[in-house]
Amino acid sequence: MRHHAEATPITTATATAARVIGMTAVLLAGSAVVAGQAHAEPGRTPGAAAISGSAAAPKADFNGDGYADTVAGAPKATVAGKEYAGYLTVAYGSAKGASTTHRQLFSANSAGVPGDPEAYGNFGGSTAARDFDGDGVADLAVSGNKGVVVLWGEKGKGLTSATQLTEGGHDGDLVAGDFNGDKKPDLALGSGDFDDKGLKVLYGGFTRDGKAAKVAEYATGHEFGPTSLAAGDITGDGVDDVFTTHAFEEMSESSEFFKGTKDGLTDKPQHVTDAESGVIADVDKDGYGDLVIRTVPGGVVENLPYDHGTVKVLYGTKDGPSTSRTATLTQNSAAVPGTNEEGDEFGKALSAGDVNGDGYADIAVGAPGEDIGSGAAGKDAGAVVQLLGGKNGLTGTGAKNWDQGSAGVPGAVEAKDGFGSALTMGDTDKDGRDDLAVGAPGEDGASTAVDAGAVWVLRGASGGLTAEGVVSYGPKTLGAPEKGSQLGSAFLR
């Protein structure tokens, strides 16, 4: 699986690896990061996301220039000899989209980042961006097995300093939103490590010494913590809600809907249908966020890798996700590209934003198990399908398929690349339309760099996503380690 042409890398992967090119300001320096072979990480669901207030994705702008920045994780990478220690990359936005020359690299081994690399620390596996300290610039929360770290954004500079936000192990999911309606972003953490409660919320504002205004824990009613989180305003009251998914051993369990109120999340969640993952966005522009999920076939988690994949929409109401107004979409649905095939995993990754600027939220659906062409060469090459929102909700009208065989998309169709394994949206070129970042963690880099991973950023346009001006990069382009890093296996929530 050859990787496409690489841009000139940063000169070393040591102290200069985290420097923002073209800036004289001092930034967090990256220490040497040594990569090794990694294995598939069990129990993690990439692609869950948050979207609040409008159809557009929340803007992760760490230097205050108005361009959204792209955060891509390599949580399976070996760092300082520690398997699955992980790292993340930041490609800053520009008039030409995500920039591969204006970038940063962070791991738990980076100077200024609290803690040390730990085996299975999964740094970069779950991230969330909001303006946590209220200075007008987005900050980045990162989970790991030593707790949650916040990398602080600074206008004109980018991510410049870091603080330990929580102590103790947390390598579970993160999602940000405003769960009490005070216009200050809050951070939800999903894990079974918090007194068996399962869900913990740090309410803002936050101080740069790592203190939240309030901390609360919520029982999910499940033995283990959530497998994924999503946030958004389903009830249309201006306060974000939280959606959690659950599983026990090989079986899925009911998902939970936590309504946001002026006092924070409600203590008693509402049961929702089983799901692997979800995203909340207003696809019909009626003022209620809609819950878009990937369903679990027969309620058996072990069947997910062999599933063709089904996406279900539970439309928002003042009381939460509707049980009567729903829609189901597969690759056999009218106007949706492709055909239901075993192992496609349509819906494995989901992301929301407004790719054509019409005010309706659109959904990108990853199908990392999609076979492209015939024969072994295209087995599990992967694809992404764009589904557009509209007055009738989410439908196949205007749907598009993207893979490495699509015109204008760099690279080549190759087996087990897993294009579409993780997704995120953001307006990287500040044109009023969201762009889509797509991860292919199985993409190879140099001749010996198996599973280096790579990222593609497709630009939004009036007709939807386009390959015109597409940006693509692998670890080598960013001065990061390649072999086994699987860059693009996780993105910003």
Side-chain angles (χ1 to χ4, degrees), residues 40-124:
E41 181 190 358
R44 294 301 302 275
T45 303
I51 183 167
S52 301
S54 70
K59 183 165 286 186
D61 178 9
F62 305 122
N63 58 2
D65 63 358
Y67 298 98
D69 308 317
T70 303
V71 178
K76 301 173 179 65
T78 296
V79 175
K82 306 292 185 180
E83 284 191 327
Y84 279 32
Y87 66 80
L88 65 83
T89 64
V90 181
Y92 283 82
S94 73
K96 295 182 178 180
S99 173
T100 59
T101 56
H102 184 180
R103 82 272 197 176
Q104 289 179 290
L105 166 68
F106 295 102
S107 76
N109 205 38
S110 297
V113 175
D116 299 297
E118 296 284 346
Y120 295 87
N122 304 124
F123 189 92

Side-chain angles (χ1 to χ4, degrees), residues 129-493:
R130 289 292 193 281
D131 179 11
F132 293 115
D133 60 356
D135 66 352
V137 181
D139 312 299
L140 181 64
V142 186
S143 72
N145 68 351
K146 290 296 185 182
V148 177
V149 169
V150 175
L151 307 178
W152 300 106
E154 192 168 340
K155 191 170 181 60
K157 297 181 180 180
L159 298 171
T160 59
S161 59
T163 302
Q164 190 81 38
L165 190 60
T166 69
E167 299 290 344
H170 177 77
D171 59 357
D173 222 16
L174 302 176
V175 73
D178 180 8
F179 309 128
N180 58 4
D182 65 355
K183 310 303 180 185
K184 298 177 181 178
D186 312 311
L187 187 64
L189 295 66
S191 176
D193 296 335
F194 305 112
D195 299 326
D196 296 325
K197 296 272 188 176
L199 183 65
K200 185 174 187 175
V201 176
L202 310 180
Y203 288 96
F206 295 85
T207 61
R208 286 218 171 187
D209 60 359
K211 294 180 180 178
K214 184 179 74 170
V215 179
E217 298 176 353
Y218 302 89
T220 62
H222 296 270
E223 186 167 352
F224 292 100
T227 55
S228 72
L229 303 175
D233 183 9
I234 292 179
T235 60
D237 60 357
V239 182
D240 286 330
D241 314 304
V242 172
F243 171 76
T244 66
T245 63
H246 300 269
F248 178 70
E249 295 181 344
E250 76 280 5
M251 303 300 294
S252 65
E253 297 181 326
S254 65
S255 302
E256 307 297 336
F257 165 71
F258 289 84
K259 178 178 169 55
T261 75
K262 62 180 179 61
D263 297 317
L265 296 183
T266 182
D267 287 327
K268 295 182 179 179
Q270 170 186 329
H271 294 323
V272 184
T273 186
D274 295 17
E276 184 194 20
S277 60
V279 64
I280 299 169
D282 187 0
V283 299
D284 58 358
K285 204 162 62 172
D286 66 353
Y288 298 100
D290 307 307
L291 176 61
V292 184
I293 63 173
R294 186 219 176 161
T295 62
V296 182
V300 182
V301 175
E302 291 178 341
N303 288 342
L304 286 168
Y306 312 103
D307 178 33
H308 61 73
T310 299
V311 171
K312 186 173 183 178
V313 185
L314 288 73
Y315 288 94
T317 75
K318 63 181 180 59
D319 299 315
S322 178
T323 57
S324 58
R325 187 183 172 220
T326 64
T328 299
L329 294 160
T330 72
Q331 288 181 286
N332 281 354
S333 297
V336 175
T339 303
N340 288 350
E341 297 170 318
E342 181 178 310
D344 283 350
E345 293 208 77
F346 182 77
K348 174 70 175 177
L350 298 166
S351 187
D354 184 2
V355 299
N356 56 7
D358 65 356
Y360 293 95
D362 310 307
I363 304 295
V365 182
E370 179 79 17
D371 297 341
I372 308 299
S374 59
K379 181 71 174 175
D380 297 338
V384 175
V385 174
Q386 163 198 287
L387 297 177
L388 297 179
K391 64 180 181 179
N392 296 320
L394 196 68
T395 68
T397 301
K400 293 182 181 179
N401 178 87
W402 296 96
D403 57 59
Q404 288 190 74
S406 299
V409 175
V413 171
E414 295 165 318
K416 299 189 182 303
D417 277 356
F419 185 87
S421 291
L423 308 167
T424 193
M425 288 200 198
D427 187 3
T428 64
D429 54 4
K430 201 166 61 174
D431 67 351
R433 304 177 182 99
D434 284 322
D435 311 307
L436 174 68
V438 183
E443 181 80 9
D444 291 344
S447 60
T448 59
V450 177
D451 292 344
V455 174
W456 289 255
V457 184
L458 298 167
R459 307 281 279 277
S462 59
L465 294 170
T466 177
E468 184 177 350
V470 63
V471 176
S472 63
Y473 54 89
K476 184 179 179 181
T477 301
L478 305 184
E482 291 189 275
K483 184 179 177 181
S485 289
Q486 298 186 49
L487 181 69
S489 57
F491 281 117
L492 189 69
R493 268 57 170 179

Side-chain angles (χ1 to χ4, degrees), residues 3-14:
H3 188 51
H4 46 271
E6 299 282 2
T8 304
I10 300 176
T11 53
T12 70
T14 55

